Amino acid sequence: MKKCCFIIPYFGKLPNYFQLFLKSCEYNPTFNWIVFTDDKTGFHYPDNVKRVEMSFQELRDLVQSKFDFPISLERPYKLCDYKPAYGYIFSDFISGYKMWGHCDIDTLMGHLEDFITDRDIAIYDKMFTLGHMIIYKNTEENNRLFMKDFRVSLYRESFTTDKITVFDEEGISNGININQLFLDYGKKVYTVDHSLNINNNRNYITGIGAAPGTGNTTSTSNSYDTVLGMGASTTSNIYGVYDMNGGGDDYVMGVFASSSKPMSGAYMGNY
């Protein structure tokens, strides 16, 4: 069997950074992705990412066909609550995989083999707890566990309201979500988060990028997505590396020359 397949329904225009996401997927050839979308932009899809053309109405009809009660799915964003049910809804697409998962496309994949090993796949029923990436063991019992009661019928409450219930991830105040459901039924859940999150709050200054000669070190008018803000990135555009620490002290390694020989050293300070 193949290792793992990530399921990504996305409707509307895909973002301009989607090709970067696809490129990071390409570097993980033992993992697969299926993108269900109505976007026809000519992105280059690597061999391990399959594009399935589907309208939002077709997706909604597919979801409704899996349940014997009227579902609420009037807008694509509501799909986040249905993520725990993807293994059940898209079962025909993942029959040959040991694991299935979902992930967000505003992420870049690292070397997944380092964090999702064959040993992990053998041990855990569910890996990770935050909605931007969660992986489930692909068994009939596991894929239907979202239907189990947890004090109340969570999935029915979630799937019949147009409100976002955050059923798919850890983090809401009352703790009632798919993760707690798995734990309550004695499933093995891997909870360590290996993601690196970058703060893209546009109120953060980015290496300053102030106008020449102003000496401005505090203005927030030069946020990362402005002309001045982009000037503070390593490439002078939005795709460069920023100082997302907002001008605070950082530990960095640098190489510098002395009068006798080159030396390397660590320095803590603002650059």
Side-chain angles (χ1 to χ4, degrees):
M1 295 183 75
K2 296 180 181 180
K3 179 173 286 187
C4 180
C5 182
F6 291 97
I7 300 167
I8 303 176
Y10 193 97
F11 300 94
K13 185 172 178 56
L14 286 159
N16 59 0
Y17 53 77
F18 183 59
Q19 191 65 64
L20 298 176
F21 168 78
L22 292 174
K23 191 66 176 177
S24 72
C25 296
E26 184 178 7
Y27 283 103
N28 288 278
T30 60
F31 292 81
N32 293 86
W33 285 260
I34 303 178
V35 181
F36 300 88
T37 184
D38 55 0
D39 185 278
K40 295 180 173 62
T41 305
F43 292 105
H44 170 67
Y45 285 80
D47 292 341
N48 60 334
V49 183
K50 179 180 180 181
R51 177 185 175 275
V52 175
E53 187 169 329
M54 179 180 288
S55 69
F56 181 62
Q57 184 59 51
E58 288 172 330
L59 182 280
R60 191 185 183 284
D61 291 343
L62 172 62
V63 177
Q64 181 60 81
S65 71
K66 298 290 183 173
F67 300 101
D68 60 2
F69 55 87
I71 63 166
S72 178
L73 185 56
E74 303 306 317
R75 54 196 174 111
Y77 186 62
K78 176 61 180 176
L79 280 167
C80 62
D81 280 333
Y82 287 86
K83 287 178 178 179
Y86 282 0
Y88 171 67
I89 295 169
F90 297 99
S91 58
D92 291 343
F93 293 88
I94 59 172
S95 59
Y97 293 91
K98 296 177 182 177
M99 307 281 281
W100 67 269
H102 55 76
C103 65
D104 291 346
I105 62 171
D106 59 349
T107 58
L108 295 177
M109 301 296 118
H111 190 241
L112 296 181
E113 291 276 6
D114 292 343
F115 306 100
I116 307 168
T117 66
D118 290 336
R119 178 179 178 275
D120 294 330
I121 291 175
I123 293 175
Y124 295 104
D125 299 295
K126 180 177 180 290
M127 294 187 67
F128 313 126
T129 63
L130 299 178
H132 54 260
M133 177 182 281
I134 295 180
I135 297 171
Y136 297 86
K137 184 169 289 183
N138 189 18
T139 65
E140 184 173 355
E141 178 187 2
N142 229 33
N143 294 348
R144 293 171 178 265
L145 197 137
F146 73 92
M147 299 180 184
K148 297 285 188 180
D149 288 344
F150 182 80
R151 305 168 197 163
V152 293
S153 182
L154 290 180
Y155 85 102
R156 282 180 176 267
E157 287 195 356
S158 180
F159 296 175
T160 55
T161 177
D162 61 350
K163 296 179 180 179
I164 303 300
T165 64
V166 201
F167 181 43
D168 63 313
E169 64 178 336
E170 195 70 84
I172 59 176
S173 59
N174 62 9
I176 302 177
N177 52 61
I178 190 62
N179 196 59
Q180 291 302 316
L181 190 61
F182 266 69
L183 293 173
D184 198 55
Y185 279 86
K187 296 293 185 178
K188 292 183 179 179
V189 179
Y190 184 84
T191 59
V192 178
D193 182 16
H194 291 295
S195 62
L196 173 64
N197 299 297
I198 297 176
N199 192 333
N200 68 345
N201 185 331
R202 71 188 315 273
N203 291 321
Y204 276 69
I205 52 179
T206 58
I208 302 309
T214 63
N216 188 343
T217 61
T218 60
S219 173
T220 58
S221 63
N222 46 11
S223 57
Y224 76 98
D225 55 353
T226 63
V227 173
L228 286 177
M230 288 186 283
S233 81
T234 56
T235 57
S236 295
N237 58 41
I238 202 169
Y239 301 108
V241 177
Y242 289 94
D243 170 21
M244 296 306 284
N245 199 30
D249 285 347
D250 303 300
Y251 284 96
V252 299
M253 177 64 78
V255 177
F256 60 92
S258 71
S259 58
S260 58
K261 60 181 180 179
M263 302 171 61
S264 64
Y267 174 76
M268 183 184 77
N270 296 329
Y271 285 84

